[in-house]
């Protein structure tokens, strides 16, 4: 379990580091006019990131379900449940971090799509 915890910690640290870089790049890109092709590439990259985060969230949810079942079994037989309970709390914390990252990613994606809509309207006019 510790290896999984370390893996998730590294993932979140890496994502937050990349997120800060990407956020700066996205903000810079939003300030500078982008052409439609650049917007589409950025949209595609953001959608891939969101897909990866959703997959991580699904695996996290499955692990929470497994640990919840384990916790229930331990409680039924009167076993020590503190470690399992602690793991469930850690997984919930990781899930909250991923949910926050997804929210930020969706905001960036919305901003890029608004810019794409604006360009499309200008092309029509």
């Amino acid at each position: 379990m510790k290896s999984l915890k370390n893996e998730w910690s590294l993932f979140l640290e890496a994502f937050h580091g990349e997120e800060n870089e990407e956020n700066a790049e996205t903000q810079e890109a939003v300030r500078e006019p982008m052409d439609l092709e650049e917007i589409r590439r950025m949209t595609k990259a953001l959608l891939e990131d969101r897909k990866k985060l959703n997959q991580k969230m699904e695996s996290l949810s499955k692990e929470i379900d497994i640990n919840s079942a384990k916790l229930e079994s331990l409680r039924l037989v009167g076993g020590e449940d503190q470690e399992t309970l602690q793991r469930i709390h850690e997984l919930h914390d990781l899930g909250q971090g991923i949910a926050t990252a997804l929210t930020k990613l969706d905001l960036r994606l919305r901003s890029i799509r608004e810019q794409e809509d604006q360009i499309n309207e200008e092309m029509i006019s």
Side-chain angles (χ1 to χ4, degrees):
M1 283 204 197
K2 286 189 178 197
S3 65
L4 183 60
K5 179 182 175 184
N6 290 338
E7 181 181 325
W8 276 102
S9 295
L10 290 173
F11 166 74
L12 287 176
E13 287 175 24
F15 182 79
H16 287 297
E18 290 174 9
E19 181 181 272
N20 290 337
E21 291 173 14
E22 289 173 6
N23 194 20
E25 290 174 11
T26 302
Q27 287 178 356
E28 187 64 30
V30 171
R31 283 187 218 125
E32 294 180 18
M34 291 190 295
D35 65 21
L36 206 51
E37 187 60 36
E38 290 172 320
I39 289 174
R40 288 184 178 144
R41 279 195 305 268
M42 188 173 282
T43 301
K44 184 178 178 179
L46 290 171
L47 289 172
E48 283 297 316
D49 289 346
R50 185 169 62 181
K51 180 181 175 182
K52 290 175 186 176
L53 286 174
N54 281 326
Q55 289 171 341
K56 294 287 184 185
M57 189 69 93
E58 284 179 31
S59 70
L60 186 64
S61 178
K62 287 177 185 177
E63 187 174 351
I64 288 172
D65 290 344
I66 290 168
N67 278 288
S68 295
K70 180 180 176 182
L71 180 66
E72 186 176 328
S73 296
L74 286 170
R75 287 183 174 167
L76 286 173
V77 297
E80 179 60 41
D81 64 357
Q82 191 59 35
E83 185 179 317
T84 304
L85 189 58
Q86 181 180 352
R87 181 66 183 149
I88 290 171
H89 290 304
E90 291 171 355
L91 294 170
H92 278 285
D93 292 344
L94 289 171
Q96 288 175 343
I98 293 172
T100 300
L102 277 168
T103 300
K104 289 178 182 179
L105 192 143
D106 284 339
L107 289 173
R108 285 188 275 156
L109 189 57
R110 184 179 305 138
S111 173
I112 295 298
R113 285 185 171 156
E114 286 172 358
Q115 191 172 4
E116 180 180 18
D117 290 344
Q118 185 179 16
I119 289 173
N120 285 330
E121 287 176 13
E122 290 172 1
M123 290 174 68
I124 293 173
S125 298

